[in-house]
Amino acid sequence: MLQSGKPLKQLPQYIIEKVIGEGGFGITYKARHQDLNFPVVIKTPNSRLYRDANYPIFVEGFRKEGRTLAKISQNHHPNIVRIIDFFEEDNLPCLVMDFVKGENLYHLVQGNGILSELTAIDYIRQIADALSICDQNGIIHRW
């Protein structure tokens, strides 16, 4: 797990600010590029997976997904975040992505209640378009 408030060893221009998401496979951090003063997201595999016998397979899948997303994001798709960099920090692979300011859909619905039909359809179309592009490029997310 990356530590908040400290520059990274490999790329000291990045400082971790906080964890913004954690799932079964990955941890997502908000970080700041010190020299350019802009926020980024750094995603790593979840450190709990390190003890799993299949960890090398998870890491290779993480790297493959990063390469594929980097390829997709070169075309500036409006619903797919851009991959900026890839590196390893203490043997932990790290993807650096653009930080997209805003609220996630779950929190939006929790805070504001049920979406209008038109708003929901708009979000569904955006998500479906991004998922379609990912599917065409071999990225499969399982829940």
Side-chain angles (χ1 to χ4, degrees), residues 8-134:
L8 299 177
K9 295 174 194 166
Q10 285 300 110
L11 295 174
Q13 66 268 30
Y14 294 115
I15 293 184
I16 301 297
E17 293 182 350
K18 64 181 179 177
V19 172
I20 56 175
E22 185 171 356
F25 182 74
I27 301 176
T28 307
Y29 302 88
K30 182 178 181 190
R32 179 156 299 277
H33 190 291
Q34 291 186 94
D35 297 331
L36 301 177
N37 194 30
F38 67 84
V40 297
V41 167
I42 298 178
K43 182 177 180 181
T44 68
N46 194 316
S47 58
R48 290 182 302 225
L49 295 173
Y50 191 75
R51 293 182 292 276
D52 191 299
N54 292 317
Y55 183 72
I57 295 167
F58 295 136
V59 169
E60 185 50 39
F62 184 83
R63 284 189 175 112
K64 181 180 177 187
E65 183 174 320
R67 286 190 294 267
T68 303
L69 284 172
K71 179 181 149 192
I72 293 169
S73 68
Q74 287 177 11
N75 296 324
H76 305 289
H77 190 282
N79 305 112
I80 298 176
V81 70
R82 183 175 64 111
I83 302 296
I84 300 170
D85 204 353
F86 181 87
F87 65 97
E88 286 198 12
E89 179 80 8
D90 294 329
N91 296 318
L92 190 63
C94 300
L95 277 174
V96 182
M97 301 172 255
D98 283 333
F99 175 79
V100 178
K101 188 176 180 177
E103 192 171 19
N104 73 38
L105 188 55
Y106 175 79
H107 292 127
L108 180 70
V109 171
Q110 291 298 311
N112 298 331
I114 296 171
L115 302 173
S116 73
E117 184 177 342
L118 289 175
T119 300
I121 289 171
D122 181 47
Y123 288 150
I124 290 167
R125 283 188 177 135
Q126 292 177 55
I127 294 166
D129 184 45
L131 286 173
S132 177
I133 296 293
C134 290

